Amino acid sequence: MAKIVNYISEAFEELKSNVTWPVWAEVQKLTIVVAVFSVLFALATWGVDEFFTKALAGFFNWIKA
């Protein structure tokens, strides 16, 4: 148990002393960039899914006929 506590305390010390944290304005800007790209990626995935759904439905209707 002492090793776990030591690991956690050293990890927190590492985060406090050796990590360069970005300024709050940069964090906000990058968060918006990530959110926008996430929405765009979700819309692109939805679009590809809709395309293949319609293409496969058309293909199977063509085979059935």
Side-chain angles (χ1 to χ4, degrees), residues 13-24 26-27 30:
E13 184 60 35
E14 181 86 16
L15 288 172
K16 286 192 298 186
S17 62
N18 294 339
V19 174
T20 303
W21 295 99
V23 295
W24 183 244
E26 185 179 5
V27 171
L30 292 176

Side-chain angles (χ1 to χ4, degrees):
M1 187 67 174
K3 288 184 178 182
I4 295 172
V5 172
N6 186 36
Y7 174 78
I8 293 172
S9 66
E10 287 179 3
F12 275 111
E13 184 60 35
E14 181 86 16
L15 288 172
K16 286 192 298 186
S17 62
N18 294 339
V19 174
T20 303
W21 295 99
V23 295
W24 183 244
E26 185 179 5
V27 171
Q28 289 175 325
K29 183 178 79 171
L30 292 176
T31 300
I32 291 171
V33 169
V34 168
V36 166
F37 277 103
S38 296
V39 169
L40 290 175
F41 185 73
L43 288 173
T45 303
W46 173 77
V48 169
D49 181 54
E50 286 294 316
F51 171 77
F52 279 112
T53 299
K54 291 182 193 291
L56 286 173
F59 176 73
F60 286 120
N61 285 335
W62 176 69
I63 288 178
K64 192 188 295 186

